[in-house]
């Protein structure tokens, strides 16, 4: 995942909230929410929570990946 796209402040705010609330299980919670929205046919919310899952994964790493400025 070298090229992580973060769509605005809402994505970061949601990721931060999930990490604060669920700790190490935040990524799994975001994935579960994405699955539920996909099952419901809500593509926009599915994509949002999949992105949050990726942001949480990136923020949880011990080292930076990709280009460092």
């Amino acid at each position: 995942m070298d090229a992580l796209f973060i769509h605005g402040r809402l994505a970061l705010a949601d990721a931060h909230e999930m990490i604060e609330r669920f700790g190490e299980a935040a990524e799994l919670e975001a994935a579960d929410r994405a699955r539920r929205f996909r099952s419901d046919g809500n593509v926009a919310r599915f994509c949002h929570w999949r992105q949050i899952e990726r942001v949480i994964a990136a923020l949880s790493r011990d080292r930076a990946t990709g280009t460092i400025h």
Side-chain angles (χ1 to χ4, degrees):
M1 183 175 15
D2 289 327
L4 177 65
F5 175 75
I6 300 173
H7 184 260
R9 298 186 84 139
L10 179 61
L12 288 174
D14 282 348
H16 174 74
E17 180 183 341
M18 297 293 284
I19 292 168
E20 287 288 313
R21 186 170 177 198
F22 296 101
E24 292 182 11
E27 189 176 348
L28 295 174
E29 177 65 24
D32 186 51
R33 290 180 187 201
R35 276 191 294 276
R36 280 184 282 167
F37 280 111
R38 185 173 74 183
S39 294
D40 292 344
N42 189 331
V43 174
R45 297 303 291 165
F46 163 73
C47 292
H48 173 78
W49 285 108
R50 281 290 290 149
Q51 181 184 42
I52 300 310
E53 180 185 357
R54 292 182 190 111
V55 170
I56 292 168
L59 292 175
S60 299
R61 290 195 190 113
D62 291 336
R63 61 184 180 83
T65 58
T67 303
I68 302 170
H69 299 276

